[in-house]
Amino acid sequence: MGISQTVFKFLSSQKKAIGYSLMGLLTVGSEHLFSLSAFKCPCSNKNYTYGLVYLFVPALVLLFVGFALNGSTWQLFTGCCVNPKKLFPKGKSCHFFHAFCQITLKAFVAPVMWLSVVLLNGTFYECAMSGSKNLKYLEMLCHNKSNKCLEELPKVACGQTSLSSWETEEILLTLQAESQVVGWCVIVSAAFLSLLITCYGHCQSNTSHLQKRFWKIYTEKEKEQFEKYFEVYATKLSERNLKSFFENKKLEPFPMPSFRAWEEASALDSFNINQQIFSTLHKLVEDSMKENDSNEAQDTMVNLGEGETV
């Protein structure tokens, strides 16, 4: 039992790493499936367009899916057409751009993985660049080759060219080497940018490392508890309504948050080091407590005034 709990705790703490690993495996599998079944280089003047479509369109689709599957996207944009001020609340004009940048960075993970995998493989790049419209680039590929090289170049990716085997192999190796160099440049650039953004965020932070760790754990636990409370309260409300319907009884009052409370709790998390606020819900509860204390103080003052008058 102890070992299983330890393993479960370790896996739970590595959710992000496991998620990225699974995403990487799915990307590799998808690229392999595309190469085997769907991708058929036309070996004509359409090579360039066809190859670029297979390089970038799946990446674009993954980017859109990344936005769609991120709950923060809908948390940010829900209701913005009805109330545009939600995107730019008073006193927090930069909040939208900060939140949108975080969402965008997460959405770019899958497209970058796709581009890295397909460029390291080289199949799509070979097809695209063998039909390039850049004459100087094509002449560079055909340097020290036979005169018919430029004409036969689009057929190289299919192995249907009349060029000699050594010429064909040299062109393919050049294209594959270029593709892999570009692929590694994408990987290094993405890793460097990610490290740079992370370092900048930590350097500019007013919070300590331990407090950041506590905040991350708190937000995860709050989300887990939110789901449990949704389940519990939804069950209670449905049971209450069904019981009233079938037994034809008068409904008992059921405590629910106000519309304004739902709206405020649905905003993106705000972390305020000065007030020790760790989430939007935390801020809402603290503000509500202060308001209640203020109302109680006012009532006490009114009662004391009335007593002195008597």
Side-chain angles (χ1 to χ4, degrees):
M1 187 67 179
I3 297 175
S4 61
Q5 285 182 343
T6 304
V7 172
F8 179 76
K9 188 176 181 180
F10 173 77
L11 293 176
S12 299
S13 64
Q14 302 296 323
K15 285 180 184 177
K16 188 177 288 188
I18 293 171
Y20 286 149
S21 299
L22 289 174
M23 191 184 297
L25 290 173
L26 286 172
T27 304
V28 172
S30 300
E31 188 275 337
H32 190 63
L33 188 64
F34 266 80
S35 299
L36 290 177
S37 59
F39 184 77
K40 303 291 180 185
C41 189
C43 299
S44 65
N45 58 357
K46 305 293 183 183
N47 281 16
Y48 188 69
T49 304
Y50 188 82
L52 289 184
V53 165
Y54 268 83
L55 265 173
F56 294 108
V57 170
L60 195 60
V61 171
L62 288 172
L63 180 64
F64 293 151
V65 170
F67 277 115
L69 294 182
N70 192 332
S72 297
T73 305
W74 309 117
Q75 199 173 355
L76 181 64
F77 286 104
T78 298
C80 66
C81 294
V82 179
N83 183 16
K85 291 182 179 179
K86 289 179 66 176
L87 293 179
F88 302 98
K90 189 176 180 181
K92 295 182 179 180
S93 56
C94 296
H95 178 70
F96 168 78
F97 298 105
H98 176 71
F100 187 71
C101 284
Q102 287 184 325
I103 294 169
T104 303
L105 287 172
K106 290 179 181 178
F108 262 102
V109 173
V112 168
M113 281 188 175
W114 168 265
L115 288 175
S116 302
V117 170
V118 298
L119 287 170
L120 289 176
N121 181 283
T123 304
F124 302 158
Y125 183 91
E126 289 172 9
C127 178
M129 298 312 292
S130 63
S132 173
K133 309 297 181 183
N134 189 330
L135 185 59
K136 289 185 178 180
Y137 176 77
L138 297 179
E139 288 176 349
M140 183 273 293
L141 287 177
C142 289
H143 184 63
N144 293 331
K145 307 290 189 306
S146 59
N147 295 331
K148 57 183 178 179
C149 177
L150 287 175
E151 183 183 344
E152 293 292 318
L153 199 55
K155 301 177 184 178
V156 168
C158 304
Q160 299 173 356
T161 177
S162 59
L163 295 172
S164 63
S165 58
W166 73 267
E167 288 178 325
T168 302
E169 185 178 359
E170 186 174 332
I171 292 171
L172 286 174
L173 287 174
T174 300
L175 290 171
Q176 192 169 34
E178 288 178 0
S179 180
Q180 290 176 347
V181 168
V182 174
W184 279 113
C185 286
V186 170
I187 294 172
V188 171
S189 300
F192 178 73
L193 184 62
S194 176
L195 179 62
L196 194 66
I197 292 171
T198 303
C199 289
Y200 179 79
H202 280 272
C203 292
Q204 293 292 321
S205 176
N206 292 324
T207 60
S208 64
H209 178 65
L210 289 177
Q211 197 169 18
K212 274 185 171 293
R213 284 181 60 189
F214 176 80
W215 174 47
K216 288 180 180 179
I217 294 171
Y218 172 83
T219 51
E220 289 176 5
K221 294 300 179 182
E222 186 183 83
K223 287 177 182 178
E224 291 176 7
Q225 293 299 320
F226 239 132
E227 293 298 325
K228 290 179 181 178
Y229 269 79
F230 283 165
E231 187 75 26
V232 170
Y233 272 79
T235 302
K236 287 181 179 179
L237 183 58
S238 61
E239 287 177 351
R240 169 234 194 203
N241 292 339
L242 287 169
K243 187 176 181 180
S244 175
F245 175 74
F246 281 104
E247 298 179 6
N248 197 22
K249 290 183 178 180
K250 185 179 178 180
L251 289 174
E252 298 177 359
F254 191 85
M256 287 286 288
S258 64
F259 179 79
R260 182 183 173 185
W262 282 112
E263 284 288 308
E264 292 179 355
S266 297
L268 282 175
D269 291 353
S270 56
F271 181 58
N272 193 324
I273 178 62
N274 297 322
Q275 300 177 9
Q276 291 285 341
I277 300 297
F278 298 105
S279 72
T280 304
L281 180 65
H282 189 188
K283 184 177 185 301
L284 179 62
V285 172
E286 292 291 337
D287 289 347
S288 177
M289 288 176 64
K290 289 178 183 177
E291 187 177 343
N292 290 337
D293 292 342
S294 177
N295 291 336
E296 288 178 4
Q298 288 179 2
D299 292 341
T300 303
M301 293 296 292
V302 169
N303 292 333
L304 288 173
E306 290 177 351
E308 290 176 359
T309 303
V310 174

